[in-house]
Amino acid sequence: MSLEIWTVSGAPSPWRAALGMAFKGLDHEVHLLSASQKEHKSDAYRAINPRGTVPTVKDRDATLSQSIAILAWLDREYPDPPLFGDTPQDAALIWQRTMDIFDYLPDATSGVLSPIFFQGADEATDDLKDASEKLQSELAHLTGILVENLYLSGERPGAADAVAFPHVRLIQRATETKPMIMQALGLPDLTTVSTEIAEWVARIEALPNVAATFPPHWAEAA
């Protein structure tokens, strides 16, 4: 097996790359790094990725970082099935959606989840309420796409889905593990927020190989 990925459990960026591989049905070796032990900043890992960031993907002589670049490379190296569509028109639309999601959804998600997961927030402060409104606006944007499409990339999963899914699934994780504060922020569960998004999450989760991309520490905490 030549295809390898270095990742941190639950980090959205490497999760995107892993989903791209899953959508394509690619076998790969996973190197799980411990963020708490700063393994991604170790000399050994920096020899592979001098920035000390995740993901890193290696395949024979190619070594890549940056999740969007990895998705684009996967489509050239392993073109079937495509992550960016079959035609120039498909590619333009999927790239537009992918970068739009990349530019807005991560920050909106982090504004709510970082205080809850990493700073111990347990009440709906004004700042968190403002962040929740911003996040719900981004979720409404995704809903608008999914009203007319099975996936954010169209009729099959692609790059836009790989970028969005980790963030949306982390929101669902917060509703499962931090229900009181998420309810106070108007995010009690995905179905209440958006039936279309909840159904899209279920479709992604039902795809072959996707379950293997989930954060290992979630299973350990179950």
Side-chain angles (χ1 to χ4, degrees):
M1 183 185 302
S2 63
L3 190 57
E4 304 171 76
I5 183 171
W6 281 258
T7 184
V8 167
S9 183
S13 292
W15 198 350
R16 296 171 194 148
L19 283 166
M21 296 179 195
F23 294 165
K24 288 179 173 290
L26 298 174
D27 291 332
H28 57 279
E29 182 178 359
V30 178
H31 302 281
L32 184 63
L33 303 174
S34 170
S36 63
Q37 297 181 25
K38 299 188 182 301
E39 289 181 346
H40 58 304
K41 301 299 183 183
S42 68
D43 291 342
Y45 182 63
R46 284 184 183 274
I48 300 168
N49 181 337
R51 294 285 189 186
T53 59
V54 289
T56 298
V57 165
K58 289 188 70 175
D59 188 19
R60 298 179 293 275
D61 296 330
T63 301
L64 304 100
S65 60
Q66 301 297 336
S67 60
I68 306 298
I70 290 167
L71 293 175
W73 172 81
L74 284 170
D75 239 20
R76 291 297 186 95
E77 189 70 17
Y78 302 97
D80 186 39
L83 299 175
F84 291 93
D86 296 306
T87 68
Q89 292 78 12
D90 291 342
L93 179 61
I94 294 170
W95 268 110
Q96 177 177 304
R97 287 179 179 170
T98 297
M99 297 313 300
D100 182 74
I101 292 166
F102 178 77
D103 283 342
Y104 293 99
L105 183 62
D107 284 346
T109 306
S110 179
V112 173
L113 299 189
S114 289
I116 292 173
F117 282 146
F118 304 119
Q119 299 168 23
D122 58 5
E123 61 181 34
T125 63
D126 288 342
D127 286 346
L128 264 177
K129 289 177 181 178
D130 290 343
S132 177
E133 290 181 6
K134 179 179 178 181
L135 176 55
Q136 291 182 61
S137 176
E138 292 305 317
L139 294 176
H141 176 71
L142 299 186
T143 298
I145 299 172
L146 292 169
V147 165
E148 298 182 353
N149 299 274
L150 288 174
Y151 299 97
L152 295 170
S153 300
E155 294 308 302
R156 63 179 174 227
D161 304 274
V163 171
F165 182 81
H167 299 281
V168 176
R169 192 56 181 81
L170 285 166
I171 296 166
Q172 183 175 334
R173 179 70 173 175
T175 67
E176 295 164 353
T177 61
K178 309 288 183 180
M180 297 301 290
I181 188 168
M182 292 297 283
Q183 183 169 351
L185 292 171
L187 295 163
D189 57 68
L190 285 184
T191 302
T192 300
V193 173
S194 169
T195 300
E196 290 80 6
I197 289 178
E199 292 175 349
W200 167 75
V201 167
R203 280 194 291 274
I204 296 288
E205 291 187 359
L207 294 171
N209 309 306
V210 166
T213 72
F214 273 56
H217 74 272
W218 289 7
E220 294 166 4

